[in-house]
Amino acid sequence: MRLERRAHVPLYLVIVAPICAIFMALFLAAGLILAAGVNPMTAYAEMLTGALGSRLSITEMLTRATPLILTGLAAAVAFRARLWNIGAEGQFFAGALITAAIGHSLGVPGWIGIPILMIAGMIAGALLLAGPAFLRLRFGVDEVVTTLLLNFIVILFVGLMIEGPMRDPFAFGWPSSVPVDGAYRLPDLIPKSRLHIGLLFAIAAAGAVWVVLTRTVFGAETRAAGLNAKAAAFVGISLPRTIMGVALLSGSLAGLAGSIEVMGVTAGVTTTMSPGFGYAGIIVAMLAALHPAGVVASAIFVATVFVGADAMSRATGVPSFIADVIVALCLLTMIVALLFTTYKVRR
């Protein structure tokens, strides 16, 4: 038996592979649910009801999906060029912190201030990833290590700022930054819910990334760098310029996620405002096979699991941590699915 690389990946495999990976992950997680003394079908039914069974649950699920779309795009863009950005969590916090710092006293009308704050968040995220990209290009430093460690540095810096110069004096002792001005809060997409127009910005970002990757020279260079860096350099593609461009785009998407989360949901910054959006974005990107359109669908699926798991836990007694297990299993099963999507088994 041997593996032979496919000359062309059929479209049906691109669609079927993530679906099979998800069902396999749910099947494997069912064993843990059975061990907790609960029927897996009952647990999964409660999960779906908790995430999709009411207007409130649907809006909460889509609110959770909004930053996941953007961090998923950040990972997808970087991974396509084989730039292993594991630092979307730190870039998310960098975008959030600069948004709160500037948005507290910007002093311009909302229709001007909101784009300014989004751009500021994008710049913060882009600069945070530009450093590891430069270290890789100049000194060959592994970006997996640098981006991962920067997450902890940034979160500790956020803790320093919200306990010090950016501390909100009206937070009753709770460690939180000063809030953005009310004029810069994103309008609700659905009245009397937490769902805001940031969802539309995230979907628009997915469309823009798809156009960039499929309809521009930069997109073609990115794909070439990811498929075969030596061949790309041989035909005249500047790998340093391409990798740095990918780093700036990827970091800006993660920073935008933090900016939108502050303006749309939290108003201020806390060290607990992200339940792991940056890390979950990697799973979102993998489930989408690094396709921008698929990122939207996979982000909704991951958000459904996380939101529905809380309701399932209350109804059945299964710990809500099963959501983390399901999402982690999805990553592992998707890696296997991608193997058989890329390669054929030959005797």
Side-chain angles (χ1 to χ4, degrees), residues 93 118 131 137 174 200 254 274 344:
F93 273 101
M118 287 185 178
L137 294 171
W174 184 260
L200 302 182
S274 169
K344 294 184 289 187

Side-chain angles (χ1 to χ4, degrees), residues 50-63:
L52 305 172
S54 68
R55 176 181 179 273
L56 174 63
S57 58
I58 292 174
T59 55
E60 285 298 310
M61 180 272 293
L62 292 175
T63 301

